[in-house]
């Protein structure tokens, strides 16, 4: 696959500056890094963003994530390696990433309400929105992964 454009960060630098600032805010927010890695990786899998799949798998492993949890992430509903909090986050990730099909169902929101504070729910939804933005940019521009 050939990249469609390599200089999109520079061409829209004022906008990307804010997207990178959002990533910094998420990193310093109340959600634990391992949870954020799972959310970002799962959305990237759904969106087939190879650049982000590579990036977030690499970051998760560097931060000490168990490789088996990453291997089984696409089957998280059947796997026993994820906490109820992680399951709620993954369900919400799938609901928001597939928004046109799911409509963000109340059942998934109920799981999020049971596992996260109001502040954390806001940050979780923001993180899901952010990774979906990154996926759309990277897939749209056909960003290549370094592996």
């Amino acid at each position: 696959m050939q990249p469609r454009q390599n200089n999109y960060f520079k061409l829209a630098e004022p906008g990307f500056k804010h997207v990178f600032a959002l990533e910094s805010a998420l990193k310093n927010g109340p959600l634990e890094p391992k949870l954020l890695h799972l959310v970002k990786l799962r959305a990237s899998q759904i969106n087939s963003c190879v650049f982000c799949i590579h990036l977030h798998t690499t970051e998760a492993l560097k931060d000490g994530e168990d490789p088996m949890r990453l291997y089984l992430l696409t089957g998280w509903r059947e796997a026993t390696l994820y906490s109820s909090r992680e399951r709620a986050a993954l369900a919400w990730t799938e609901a928001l990433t597939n928004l046109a099909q799911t409509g963000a169902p109340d059942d998934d929101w109920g799981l999020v309400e049971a596992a996260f504070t109001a502040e954390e729910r806001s940050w979780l939804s923001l993180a899901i929105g952010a990774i979906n933005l990154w996926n759309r940019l990277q897939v749209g521009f056909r960003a290549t992964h370094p592996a």
Side-chain angles (χ1 to χ4, degrees):
M1 179 175 351
Q2 287 294 104
R4 290 183 170 153
Q5 186 170 308
N6 291 318
N7 57 347
Y8 50 97
F9 288 116
K10 184 151 183 67
L11 291 170
E13 190 172 352
F16 277 104
K17 179 175 80 170
H18 295 288
V19 180
F20 284 113
L22 172 57
E23 286 301 320
S24 180
L26 289 167
K27 187 175 185 175
N28 294 311
L31 299 176
E32 55 273 25
K34 284 188 175 188
L35 181 80
L36 285 173
H37 290 312
L38 291 176
V39 164
K40 290 177 179 185
L41 181 54
R42 184 65 192 122
S44 299
Q45 290 171 335
I46 293 166
N47 291 320
S48 298
C49 182
V50 296
F51 181 90
C52 294
I53 291 169
H54 178 272
L55 174 68
H56 297 299
T57 300
T58 301
E59 287 180 349
L61 291 170
K62 187 175 117 183
D63 286 348
E65 181 59 85
D66 177 356
M68 188 56 65
R69 286 168 36 95
L70 301 178
Y71 300 149
L72 297 179
L73 187 57
T74 58
W76 66 268
R77 290 180 191 273
E78 289 78 33
T80 59
L81 302 177
Y82 307 98
S83 69
S84 59
R85 180 175 167 89
E86 291 167 336
R87 289 175 177 284
L90 291 168
W92 194 235
T93 299
E94 290 184 358
L96 293 186
T97 300
N98 295 311
L99 188 59
Q101 292 81 31
T102 69
D106 291 339
D107 288 347
D108 290 337
W109 179 249
L111 296 172
V112 172
E113 278 188 309
F116 293 88
T117 67
E119 178 188 17
E120 290 171 331
R121 291 190 297 267
S122 295
W123 283 97
L124 176 62
S125 298
L126 186 60
I128 295 165
I131 190 56
N132 275 280
L133 170 61
W134 282 117
N135 291 164
R136 279 146 181 76
L137 291 166
Q138 301 297 53
V139 171
F141 287 118
R142 299 290 191 255
T144 57
H145 59 84

